[in-house]
Amino acid sequence: MIKREEVYKIGKLGKTHGVSGEISFLLDDDVFDRTDADYLILDIDGILVPFFIDSYRFKTDSNVLMKFDGIDTQERARELTGCDVYFPREHADDNDDSISWAELVGYSLIDNHGGKVIGEIASIDDTTINILFELTTGKLIPASEELITQIDTKKQQIYINLPEGILEL
């Protein structure tokens, strides 16, 4: 059984395309630029299920037309519409230098001054020029690369030098 901590979200399936089982895949991550995988993991009714990739082609930078093995009709593809798509961390963790923001969801944020755990990253807010970590507590922390001192992909921890007083905001 696939566990949530073993994967990270990379997008969502949209509407079907054509009659042969292709489906639109809206990417939130550049994982296909960094690594290859034989399968992706779909969240189907709360259960993480692997689907092997038959083929895919980019429509735009963030929209892929995906064809999964065994999904050969528009009706079968329609059943997958709206599913969140995840990528296995084990295939992405090979290179710490090219880790994406999306991969950091679920990591613990640790203050370098004292080693105190600040919280767990629930999501990444990249809607503005200043990227923010949104913690499970609702607190927003700057995700500036200048503040991050270390990322431990094995322990899923990020060490950060926080500006004085930011936790009190």
Side-chain angles (χ1 to χ4, degrees), residues 33-91:
D33 293 338
R34 294 178 286 121
T35 188
D36 290 323
D38 296 329
Y39 66 96
L40 295 174
I41 298 157
L42 306 184
D43 183 337
I44 300 179
D45 297 328
I47 300 171
L48 298 176
V49 181
F51 278 78
F52 285 90
I53 300 169
D54 183 352
S55 63
Y56 67 90
R57 56 193 167 105
F58 281 86
K59 193 172 178 183
T60 67
D61 287 344
S62 61
N63 191 348
V64 175
L65 295 177
M66 183 67 64
K67 176 91 171 65
F68 292 110
D69 282 345
I71 307 295
D72 297 327
T73 65
Q74 184 179 26
E75 291 76 25
R76 293 280 322 270
R78 190 174 291 122
E79 295 172 4
L80 303 177
T81 298
C83 287
D84 288 333
V85 181
Y86 294 84
F87 193 78
R89 288 188 191 273
E90 69 182 0
H91 295 299

Side-chain angles (χ1 to χ4, degrees), residues 86-122:
Y86 294 84
F87 193 78
R89 288 188 191 273
E90 69 182 0
H91 295 299
D93 286 346
D94 294 341
N95 188 353
D96 290 350
D97 295 334
S98 67
I99 195 165
S100 72
W101 290 115
E103 287 179 70
L104 301 178
V105 172
Y107 277 44
S108 295
L109 197 59
I110 300 175
D111 187 359
N112 261 349
H113 308 295
K116 178 184 168 202
V117 176
I118 301 163
E120 183 179 319
I121 299 170

